[in-house]
Amino acid sequence: MRWVDVKEGFKEFLEEFKREKTGIAGVVLLIILVLVALTAPYTTMPDLPEKWRSSAYWEDNPKNVPPEWYNMFTSQKLVPQQVYYANNLKISHPSDTVTMIEADYQFPDGYYLGPQGIIIRGLNVTLNAPSQAPTMDIYLLRPDGKTIPLLTNKQLSSSTTISIGRDSTISANVYIWLVNVTEGREITMFEVPLETILISDMVAPMFAKVEPGMNVSDIIGNPQPLNGQYKLILKINNPAPKYNQVVYDNLKVTFLGRSYGTMGTDYLGRDLWAGIIWGSRVSLVIGILVSVLSTVIGLIYGVTSAYLGGNADEFMMRINEIFASIPSLPILILIGATLGHVTLMFIVLLLVIFGWMGIARIARSMALQIKEQTYIEAARALGAGNGRIIFKHILPQLLPYAFAVIALSVPGAVIAEASLSFLGIGDPSAVTWGQILNAAQAQSATTKGYWWWVLPPGLGIAVVGLTFVLIGTALDKILNPRLRRL
Amino acid sequence: MGYLKYLVFRILNAILVLLIVTFIISALFVKVAEESNRSKMYEELMMWERTEGAKIKQSQGLEAFEQAKAAKQASLEEKYELNIPYWQKVYNKALRTLKLDFGTTSMPIFGTNNVSDIIKVAVPRSILLFTTATIIVIILGIFLGVRAARHAGSVFDRGLSIFALLTYSLPMWWTGMMFLLIFAFKLGWFPLSSMFDPQLTGWEHVKDVIWKLALPVFTYVFVVFGGWAWTTRNIMIGTLQEDFIMAAKAKGVPEHKIIYGHALRAAAPPIVTMIIFALLGSLGGAIISELVFNYPGMGRLYWVALQQNETNLLIGLTYFFTVLYLAGVVLADMVYGFLDPRVKVGASAKM
């Protein structure tokens, strides 16, 4: 083959490819996918894979909530996440020792439940006189004029994080307040039922209608939203401002949403959108690497086998059959499970080892035909070596076919990687769609109805698969003249 | 005669491959078992040191303790077969596996410890699920594929192609998760778990099984039939362009007869091969799909065996899968040679 021929052939091929609408669609999808994968560190965050596994990093996110846009399809709207930093909080100093911090929270009409919780963190406290440590009271001022005392006299230190909704003392305080308003009696901490503290959602009643005469368990079980303007007040008492300093610059008050971001969150509060975007990197890399490597190996193996013929051919085909008859997924699972920690490159290697056989068989049957042609005989007569004939004369004939095979085997490789990750055998330092689905299955997301956790990763796999199938079938149509007549 | 010779060659070949694969599998699993057995042995030795060993140390001194410990270790090594060289063990294991003597599991599964019995319980369930689904897929796939080939380029053909391409890229287990979400969780038409109710017998049991099977079967058919129809279509389009079809058309043979009498028969060999492998593959079950549906078949059994480190069961199952695959290869070759005279002539001419 001369270089000019290659150039001509390529040009001709491009012309034909342009006429295949599905192929063009595939190429467009591929470009989008590559762009998404490449820009992942900039569109989400640069070091997501490291953070993905640390549950502490995602503490400021609500857990198991659907995406924000889901509100468009439901009558019962779910509030989004709202974060206040020092510059959008009202901070005033009524006296030398007291600081008031107010967060205005709008619970808009039409929304069904208030926030999932409230998290206050980032108070910088310098303690020089521990006996006079600063303390904090927290109140929630409601639109109906009632005030809930959430916490009183909480001693502050630098590590203080208040987590309304996860803190049992606060939950108990809310219960006490509920009983006080509805039944008019004061109860103590010890009369609060345990399940209220441990299981019940005590944040929703804070943002619900509470009137005298109502039943407390009704309010907890079926809170009626009380929309309007709320005010979260932090009152900080610093009896010795000269010794103990409280700095508010890093203060962060988060009203956890009942819905979050573009794709919702999982059981650790992880932003699933970021995970999906990052997952495309692994999917594309694994898919392309595995299919290219196994196609190349299969082609060379098949052609060599056909060309050598005789006993060598028989022997090589037996090896091929042995690989083909070992059930691959179970063995892959076994290897992964025994080794424990596997890297992405190792998974690629495994998938290649168990993925080249089919291509080798087809390549062999094609090479058997090519081998009989006269120009091969001529080359041999001129004294060309085996390697030269295989690589220079037979393989180039199979190249167009190879491209179609590469494209068509990408979906299989992507699904195989996802399946392994789904079973918990994957690279733990990478974020992949299979691993997201694995977590979903482990937390039985399907039986709880967390669709936003299950749907996107699989759609991602399907889109990557579809992209390459579109390209592959278009190539197939051009290179397989029988189908071209359609 | 040529056909028989060809067949014998194929069978011998399959047996040779089976021997080698069995050996490889044994080598792999014995290695795994050896590691877990070694850790089990050390655990037991530690236990002994803490209880009986400590007593001996106190009453008879350090020397007696060392002696007793060595004796205990030797007996434990024998118990866990750690005193036999690795290759000897591999050889023993492979030989026993070939004789279908798979041994027992350490924990009872389906109420028995015998590996063969466990497999006998699981296989019919996988057959029930996947073979039912595969048969539906074959019928639907061939029918729709032939229809699409007849009206190539029509809206139906294009729609089918797009559907096939879409489902080709879907992981079956993910589709299963989605269907569980939609049809079981949201609409409540099907159960969330396909584990059978062991209390029921008779007609009630049959009803329970059908009810639990419905969603997995539906999922399988949904994901697979598009690809089948598409492949059938492509094969049929190729055949419909052959000269003998043109000749039949020119002769005035009715179209129905051309399609089902001439073309489908000519296109049969690859389709039959596909059918054989699909049916045999269906016996193995799909590990992840069965996990997702919580269906008690072969695939889930494999997973349970892995989780509980039941090496004997794993070897038994892997051996079963391998035999199935090789049987499929031989069967496909047989049928192929039977349907397509060119194959047997070509192969036997070589011998």
Side-chain angles (χ1 to χ4, degrees):
Chain A
M1 268 190 170
R2 284 179 305 153
W3 173 237
V4 188
D5 292 341
V6 175
K7 223 164 106 182
E8 273 302 303
F10 190 70
K11 237 184 188 169
E12 214 172 283
F13 168 78
L14 263 189
E15 281 301 312
E16 279 194 72
F17 192 83
K18 271 185 200 155
R19 261 179 270 141
E20 291 292 336
K21 271 186 224 134
T22 56
I24 295 295
V27 170
V28 170
L29 272 176
L30 181 65
I31 291 171
I32 295 172
L33 276 174
V34 170
L35 278 180
V36 166
L38 284 180
T39 56
Y42 310 104
T43 49
T44 58
M45 54 181 78
D47 45 0
L48 185 92
E50 286 137 56
K51 285 174 178 151
W52 195 250
R53 252 141 245 288
S54 99
S55 53
Y57 180 81
W58 306 96
E59 258 176 0
D60 284 1
N61 281 358
K63 300 181 190 333
N64 292 330
V65 296
E68 274 168 22
W69 50 262
Y70 186 50
N71 283 333
M72 287 193 281
F73 303 101
T74 48
S75 51
Q76 301 190 324
K77 283 190 201 258
L78 302 161
V79 291
Q81 179 101 335
Q82 198 146 353
V83 186
Y84 299 83
Y85 295 100
N87 53 2
N88 38 31
L89 290 167
K90 271 185 240 155
I91 301 175
S92 56
H93 303 275
S95 72
D96 277 355
T97 56
V98 178
T99 307
M100 301 284 278
I101 301 167
E102 287 178 26
D104 288 323
Y105 181 74
Q106 177 72 31
F107 182 19
D109 284 339
Y111 282 84
Y112 171 57
L113 288 170
Q116 202 184 52
I118 304 166
I119 291 175
I120 303 156
R121 67 165 81 237
L123 283 168
N124 276 347
V125 183
T126 331
L127 268 189
N128 289 320
S131 56
Q132 288 177 301
T135 58
M136 175 161 75
D137 300 337
I138 306 177
Y139 305 96
L140 183 72
L141 225 75
R142 293 155 42 98
D144 60 0
K146 297 187 176 72
T147 308
I148 314 175
L150 294 170
L151 210 55
T152 42
N153 269 331
K154 167 89 181 168
Q155 292 230 337
L156 290 184
S157 70
S158 251
S159 58
T160 303
T161 300
I162 313 272
S163 172
I164 298 167
R166 293 171 200 162
D167 184 318
S168 53
T169 319
I170 297 176
S171 294
N173 283 340
V174 173
Y175 188 85
I176 292 168
W177 173 80
L178 278 177
V179 172
N180 189 7
V181 172
T182 54
E183 297 170 26
R185 66 193 170 98
E186 296 276 350
I187 58 167
T188 62
M189 210 62 164
F190 305 103
E191 291 171 74
V192 179
L194 206 59
E195 87 257 14
T196 307
I197 297 173
L198 297 178
I199 306 164
S200 303
D201 177 2
M202 293 307 290
V203 183
M206 289 163 50
F207 294 85
K209 284 188 185 115
V210 180
E211 298 293 338
M214 282 169 88
N215 190 330
V216 175
S217 55
D218 277 357
I219 298 174
I220 295 173
N222 183 22
Q224 300 298 316
L226 178 72
N227 306 96
Q229 193 70 41
Y230 285 79
K231 222 173 231 179
L232 184 77
I233 301 170
L234 314 179
K235 185 179 164 205
I236 294 164
N237 266 312
N238 193 357
K242 283 195 182 138
Y243 304 105
N244 299 328
Q245 280 182 331
V246 186
V247 182
Y248 308 101
D249 293 347
N250 296 325
L251 187 65
K252 183 182 173 195
V253 178
T254 311
F255 284 74
L256 297 180
R258 298 261 173 192
S259 61
Y260 184 90
T262 321
M263 244 358 133
T265 60
D266 68 1
Y267 73 118
L268 291 176
R270 296 186 287 209
D271 183 3
L272 285 169
W273 175 246
I276 304 290
I277 297 279
W278 275 81
S280 65
R281 293 162 82 93
V282 176
S283 239
L284 281 179
V285 169
I286 294 246
I288 294 173
L289 256 185
V290 170
S291 61
V292 167
L293 286 179
S294 49
T295 305
V296 168
I297 291 174
L299 273 184
I300 294 177
Y301 193 91
V303 170
T304 312
S305 176
Y307 178 74
L308 294 178
N311 286 336
D313 181 32
E314 284 292 327
F315 180 70
M316 286 177 84
M317 279 299 110
R318 285 304 85 72
I319 293 178
N320 183 298
E321 262 168 45
I322 289 167
F323 270 99
S325 49
I326 296 177
S328 59
L329 184 64
I331 298 292
L332 287 181
I333 297 170
L334 184 83
I335 294 173
T338 22
L339 289 180
H341 182 101
V342 287
T343 61
L344 275 183
M345 282 308 123
F346 188 72
I347 291 175
V348 169
L349 183 77
L350 284 180
L351 292 178
V352 170
I353 288 176
F354 288 101
W356 55 272
M357 293 83 71
I359 303 149
R361 271 190 161 263
I362 302 170
R364 176 177 171 269
S365 63
M366 288 169 93
L368 278 177
Q369 286 174 357
I370 297 171
K371 188 184 143 189
E372 300 302 327
Q373 278 165 20
T374 39
Y375 75 95
I376 302 281
E377 229 166 289
R380 209 176 314 164
L382 285 171
N386 286 351
R388 194 183 161 82
I389 291 176
I390 290 172
F391 283 98
K392 271 258 160 180
H393 296 293
I394 304 182
L395 270 180
Q397 304 257 350
L398 294 178
L399 270 189
Y401 159 78
F403 285 115
V405 171
I406 287 175
L408 285 173
S409 60
V410 168
V414 171
I415 291 180
E417 188 277 327
S419 304
L420 287 179
S421 297
F422 178 77
L423 290 169
I425 301 144
D427 189 340
S429 61
V431 182
T432 76
W433 293 333
Q435 279 165 359
I436 294 174
L437 284 169
N438 166 269
Q441 177 76 2
Q443 302 292 323
S444 38
T446 41
T447 49
K448 288 176 188 159
Y450 300 155
W451 57 268
W452 58 90
W453 194 354
V454 184
L455 182 73
L459 275 187
I461 296 170
V463 168
V464 171
L466 183 68
T467 304
F468 286 95
V469 171
L470 287 176
I471 296 174
T473 44
L475 290 176
D476 218 15
K477 246 187 212 169
I478 297 170
L479 306 167
N480 196 346
R482 266 184 160 178
L483 294 172
R484 204 196 304 181
R485 268 184 249 165
L486 294 178
Chain B
M1 199 50 211
Y3 183 54
L4 199 69
K5 215 171 167 186
Y6 168 69
L7 232 149
V8 170
F9 171 75
R10 294 300 305 168
I11 291 172
L12 284 179
N13 181 32
I15 291 173
L16 179 75
V17 172
L18 180 65
L19 287 178
I20 296 171
V21 172
T22 311
F23 202 75
I24 294 175
I25 292 169
S26 302
L28 207 64
F29 282 96
V30 165
K31 187 92 206 148
V32 175
E34 204 169 46
E35 268 158 34
S36 74
N37 279 349
R38 196 172 292 279
S39 64
K40 268 189 213 160
M41 187 203 82
Y42 280 120
E43 220 166 84
E44 210 166 309
L45 198 66
M46 290 273 275
M47 279 292 288
W48 178 87
E49 254 179 67
R50 246 178 269 148
T51 54
E52 259 176 78
K55 268 188 221 159
I56 294 173
K57 213 191 243 173
Q58 267 186 348
S59 58
Q60 296 167 30
L62 202 62
E63 209 168 299
F65 165 74
E66 289 295 341
Q67 262 176 10
K69 188 184 170 186
K72 179 76 189 170
Q73 183 159 1
S75 79
L76 281 177
E77 272 178 3
E78 199 173 302
K79 181 181 167 193
Y80 287 114
E81 292 193 330
L82 289 169
N83 51 350
I84 310 173
Y86 174 66
W87 288 111
Q88 178 74 36
K89 255 188 289 182
V90 171
Y91 176 75
N92 290 348
K93 191 86 229 171
L95 210 65
R96 263 184 304 193
T97 307
L98 287 171
K99 286 185 201 152
L100 299 179
D101 170 20
F102 300 123
T104 55
T105 57
S106 53
M107 293 228 253
I109 298 173
F110 303 142
T112 169
N113 276 71
N114 189 311
V115 169
S116 307
D117 289 344
I118 295 171
I119 295 178
K120 269 181 214 150
V121 174
V123 168
R125 292 178 177 168
S126 282
I127 292 181
L128 193 63
L129 168 56
F130 289 101
T131 309
T132 314
T134 308
I135 290 170
I136 298 175
V137 163
I138 291 169
I139 295 169
L140 213 63
I142 291 182
F143 178 74
L144 292 178
V146 168
R147 223 187 108 101
R150 274 171 71 181
H151 309 284
S154 67
V155 177
F156 173 74
D157 180 35
R158 274 165 204 280
L160 187 76
S161 298
I162 291 170
F163 180 80
L165 296 188
L166 276 172
T167 51
Y168 178 76
S169 347
L170 289 180
M172 194 190 299
W173 43 272
W174 176 77
T175 317
M177 286 171 96
M178 287 319 295
F179 281 2
L180 272 175
L181 255 177
I182 299 167
F183 297 111
F185 176 80
K186 199 87 191 164
L187 301 172
W189 294 352
F190 299 103
L192 282 167
S193 159
S194 294
M195 201 57 105
F196 299 139
D197 190 345
Q199 309 288 322
L200 303 172
T201 47
W203 176 236
E204 285 297 313
H205 173 69
V206 175
K207 266 204 319 209
D208 181 56
V209 168
I210 293 173
W211 161 244
K212 303 264 162 88
L213 272 175
L215 195 56
V217 167
F218 177 55
T219 309
Y220 184 91
V221 172
F222 179 82
V223 175
V224 179
F225 88 87
W228 263 81
W230 201 63
T231 316
T232 313
R233 162 196 180 269
N234 285 351
I235 295 171
M236 279 299 277
I237 283 177
T239 328
L240 284 176
Q241 288 165 6
E242 300 256 7
D243 293 339
F244 70 94
I245 299 285
M246 299 295 167
K249 267 187 192 161
K251 264 200 302 193
V253 179
E255 203 198 342
H256 195 262
K257 217 171 175 184
I258 291 179
I259 297 276
Y260 289 97
H262 294 64
L264 197 56
R265 190 193 278 172
I271 293 177
V272 169
T273 316
M274 272 165 66
I275 292 175
I276 290 170
F277 278 99
L279 282 176
L280 283 173
S282 75
L283 300 188
I287 294 181
I288 311 181
S289 302
E290 286 190 6
L291 264 184
V292 167
F293 284 109
N294 204 10
Y295 184 83
M298 294 283 282
R300 205 176 157 280
L301 182 63
Y302 208 101
W303 183 244
V304 170
L306 262 174
Q307 297 285 301
Q308 302 183 357
N309 219 342
E310 300 283 10
T311 324
N312 287 340
L313 183 54
L314 284 172
I315 293 184
L317 286 168
T318 315
Y319 184 75
F320 181 83
F321 290 140
T322 313
V323 169
L324 272 183
Y325 175 81
L326 289 171
V329 173
V330 172
L331 197 66
D333 273 339
M334 261 170 69
V335 175
Y336 220 107
F338 193 71
L339 289 173
D340 190 346
R342 282 171 297 182
V343 173
K344 56 187 171 200
V345 171
S348 54
K350 226 171 56 181
M351 277 189 266

